[in-house]
Amino acid sequence: MNPSRVIRLRHGACVPLAELPRLEFSSFRNTLLDEVAGEARVVSLFGHPGGEGLDLYAVLARDWKGELVLLHTRVKESFPSLTPECPQVHLFERELAEQYGVRPQGHPWLKPVRFHQRWVKGADIWGRRDDEHPIPGDMDFYRVEGEEVHEVAVGPVHAGVIEPGHFRFQCHGEEVMHLEISLGYQHRGIEQMLRGGPHPASIYQLEAAAGDTTIGHATAYSQLIESLAGVKVSLRTHAIRAIALELERLANHVGDIGALAGDVGFLPTASFCGRLRGDYLNLTAELCGSRFGRGLVRPGGVQFDLDPARAETLTQRLKVLAAETRGAIELCFDSPSVLARFEGTGRVTADDAEALGLVGVAARACGLVRDVRLHRNFGNGETRFDTPVIETDGDVFARGNVRRREIYASHRLIDEDLKRLPAGEIRTALPALAPESLGISLCEGWRGELVHVGITDAQGRLARYKIVDPSFHNWSALAMALRGEQISDFPLCNKSFNLSYCGFDL
């Protein structure tokens, strides 16, 4: 492979499509596998209809160099699957099959992902009819047979107030031998709705891609539009977005630790954290009027400034909350009865995490240093985030402890940002998007890495918009975590990941 045929770029760059070489599929495949065998990982793989086939784009991250590698090829009805040699692309290839009807030959687990109709005309590779909407969960599930082996089906409707998803367990007694997860019940077609945009409704659709990650997805989208428009927003804008991202992380991490405590019957922390989560949401409301941050982040800037009085108010309220949060959390993590349930439960090995391409809390709990805040900071390149939180055991305790330590780190980051808010404007006018170009944006949401990629047409409109929520990578890890565990530990393991159904379904 000629290295000059591979595009290497920085986060936030915009590449004219004319400068993006189209590789033969064999070169595309070999380069991708070589990069992954080295130090890269696949952050996105998606298709876009070309003149005589389907254009495939792969975005790979070389984290410690802060680089992204962009590969491009074209396929027709089928292509040799990369999944047997690179498991982290298994869901991406299933997406391609479902959206465009191309068959990854040799894929070991070729099943629908979201149960929607094809995006282009042609025969469905599963033989589903064009005039009937596919039924979510309607597929052959993996089965284990043998004496005393039984199957347990859970969902899509659950006892608690959670989103719909179907879980199919193969058990021997209480021991889980295999778990298969089927989602797609909340598929809304967000990527399709964004085509032809940016539309006035686009930012609202992105804010609702995963409702508990409003700031994260709105920031990733805004960064992408700014890149395609060739605009750099002020450092003050970056700072306000960073504060909002950390507040979103605090509210969700505190809520998750409370939920974990509730799952093992440790009610003091469960109760405290329920109240504290609301207080963190109220801090975001103090910033922009919405507890979930709706309306704050927009392409070109933010809609709400932080004057000195409001910054001081946030600082003082955060100081009180930080002390209360530490007390509630340490109570839980100092309790032997809690630790006995957390430690050693739902373990995912570092090798499995790397093979599956995990990101965010789930990856860092397995010892993988993956954090967009560290490797791909926007703004002037300076960052005060230099110590990612890493645990190595990969179990429920590790995932909880990553959250605990990240909560303390977020307190420090917000406090420093509030004291050092740069001067500057909070909005920048946006020109038209660059025509026939590709842009990439990454953002570290509270669950992990959010990846947005946009391709524009000749008029500068969005012809393809690709979203990768961290849950897309990490649902497979929950299935791995359950192997060999008691089925009664499923709620605890599930909560320790707390993945998004709608963020996956899109």
Side-chain angles (χ1 to χ4, degrees):
M1 176 65 203
N2 182 351
S4 65
R5 299 274 289 165
V6 176
I7 295 290
R8 302 185 190 281
L9 65 161
R10 294 283 173 179
H11 165 52
C14 171
V15 183
L17 294 178
E19 297 180 9
L20 184 59
R22 192 172 75 211
L23 309 176
E24 295 296 327
F25 182 80
S26 58
S27 295
F28 173 90
R29 174 192 179 87
N30 293 337
T31 305
L32 187 149
L33 294 177
D34 287 347
E35 289 284 345
V36 171
E39 58 183 9
R41 58 190 176 84
V42 180
V43 300
S44 188
L45 173 64
F46 63 96
H48 180 51
E52 299 177 352
L54 180 69
D55 285 337
L56 297 188
Y57 298 88
V59 182
L60 294 86
R62 304 177 73 183
D63 290 325
W64 288 106
K65 292 188 176 180
E67 281 184 347
L68 297 172
V69 176
L70 183 56
L71 305 175
H72 171 215
T73 189
R74 180 171 291 176
V75 299
K76 294 189 176 178
E77 292 82 9
S78 65
F79 61 93
S81 170
L82 285 82
T83 296
E85 295 165 90
C86 183
Q88 58 188 283
V89 304
H90 74 111
L91 268 173
F92 289 117
E93 289 191 336
R94 288 168 58 184
E95 261 191 336
L96 290 167
E98 187 167 43
Q99 294 168 350
Y100 299 105
V102 294
R103 182 181 293 276
Q105 298 282 3
H107 192 293
W109 201 263
L110 190 55
K111 303 182 181 185
V113 179
R114 301 187 179 94
F115 301 90
H116 58 73
Q117 293 171 322
R118 282 181 56 166
W119 290 1
V120 295
K121 291 183 178 179
D124 184 273
I125 70 166
W126 294 283
R128 300 176 299 188
R129 293 173 51 176
D130 287 342
D131 58 347
E132 293 182 359
H133 193 288
I135 300 172
D138 183 15
M139 65 180 190
D140 292 328
F141 286 85
Y142 183 82
R143 298 193 68 175
V144 180
E145 296 183 350
E147 189 174 354
E148 297 185 4
V149 173
H150 60 280
E151 184 177 81
V152 179
V154 178
V157 178
H158 300 275
V161 185
I162 62 173
E163 300 174 274
H166 183 66
F167 302 86
R168 191 75 65 97
F169 297 87
Q170 308 295 315
C171 299
H172 182 266
E174 292 293 307
E175 181 182 339
V176 177
M177 303 170 72
H178 180 77
L179 166 62
E180 187 165 359
I181 302 169
S182 180
L183 303 176
Y185 297 88
Q186 295 189 108
H187 177 60
R188 293 149 288 168
I190 289 180
E191 291 181 357
Q192 290 289 75
M193 288 190 282
L194 294 169
R195 290 178 56 192
H199 304 294
S202 296
I203 183 65
Y204 302 103
Q205 292 160 347
L206 268 300
E207 285 182 332
D212 55 16
T213 315
T214 293
I215 299 293
H217 275 293
T219 299
Y221 170 72
S222 297
Q223 290 175 165
L224 176 63
I225 297 301
E226 290 153 10
S227 298
L228 288 168
V231 163
K232 291 187 176 180
V233 299
S234 69
L235 295 180
R236 188 175 185 84
T237 292
H238 286 301
I240 293 174
R241 288 176 179 175
I243 290 169
L245 276 168
E246 296 307 319
L247 287 175
E248 191 169 71
R249 193 180 323 279
L250 281 169
N252 284 291
H253 278 7
V254 168
D256 282 350
I257 288 180
L260 282 170
D263 271 355
V264 297
F266 195 75
L267 298 185
T269 296
S271 302
F272 278 132
C273 287
R275 192 267 290 175
L276 290 167
R277 176 177 179 272
D279 288 342
Y280 285 112
L281 293 175
N282 289 339
L283 284 186
T284 301
E286 180 74 26
L287 183 57
C288 64
S290 164
R291 301 176 85 214
F292 292 96
R294 302 282 172 92
L296 174 61
V297 180
R298 290 291 182 270
V302 292
Q303 295 203 113
F304 298 86
D305 203 353
L306 261 174
D307 58 43
R310 184 166 298 175
E312 180 61 20
T313 299
L314 289 178
T315 299
Q316 295 306 318
R317 289 176 62 178
L318 191 66
K319 186 181 297 184
V320 174
L321 282 177
E324 293 179 344
T325 303
R326 188 176 286 268
I329 291 177
E330 296 304 327
L331 188 64
C332 174
F333 280 82
D334 284 345
S335 170
S337 63
V338 170
L339 298 182
R341 293 286 283 111
F342 284 5
E343 290 177 337
T345 303
R347 191 185 298 275
V348 178
T349 68
D351 287 343
D352 285 342
E354 191 154 17
L356 292 170
L358 303 194
V359 297
V361 170
R364 294 193 284 276
C366 299
L368 304 185
V369 184
R370 293 177 179 176
D371 195 316
V372 177
R373 294 173 294 175
L374 178 69
H375 300 299
R376 296 177 182 82
N377 187 40
F378 254 94
N380 62 357
E382 294 182 0
T383 178
R384 289 185 291 283
F385 183 83
D386 54 6
T387 311
V389 174
I390 302 299
E391 295 284 331
T392 57
D393 287 342
D395 55 7
V396 170
F397 174 81
R399 290 184 284 276
N401 208 31
V402 167
R403 289 182 172 90
R404 178 178 72 105
R405 294 170 59 197
E406 289 191 344
I407 286 169
Y408 303 154
S410 292
H411 287 148
R412 178 180 61 81
L413 289 168
I414 295 175
D415 186 61
E416 291 178 357
D417 279 336
L418 287 171
K419 289 176 179 174
R420 299 173 51 182
L421 266 179
E425 300 295 326
I426 61 169
R427 294 300 300 270
T428 302
L430 285 177
L433 306 188
E436 297 187 318
S437 298
L438 183 150
I440 305 170
S441 168
L442 282 75
C443 174
E444 189 68 21
W446 66 273
R447 280 193 183 88
E449 178 182 271
L450 304 159
V451 183
H452 288 213
V453 185
I455 294 177
T456 55
D457 61 17
Q459 287 73 46
R461 296 175 304 208
L462 291 170
R464 177 74 168 99
Y465 199 96
K466 173 64 181 167
I467 302 169
V468 184
D469 187 89
S471 299
F472 186 79
H473 296 285
N474 291 352
W475 273 112
S476 299
L478 173 60
M480 295 300 295
L482 261 294
R483 288 192 176 178
E485 295 291 339
Q486 299 288 297
I487 192 171
S488 54
D489 277 336
F490 171 63
L492 181 60
C493 292
N494 192 21
K495 182 54 67 180
S496 72
F497 285 92
N498 192 19
L499 302 174
S500 174
Y501 298 70
C502 61
F504 178 96
D505 291 344
L506 294 176

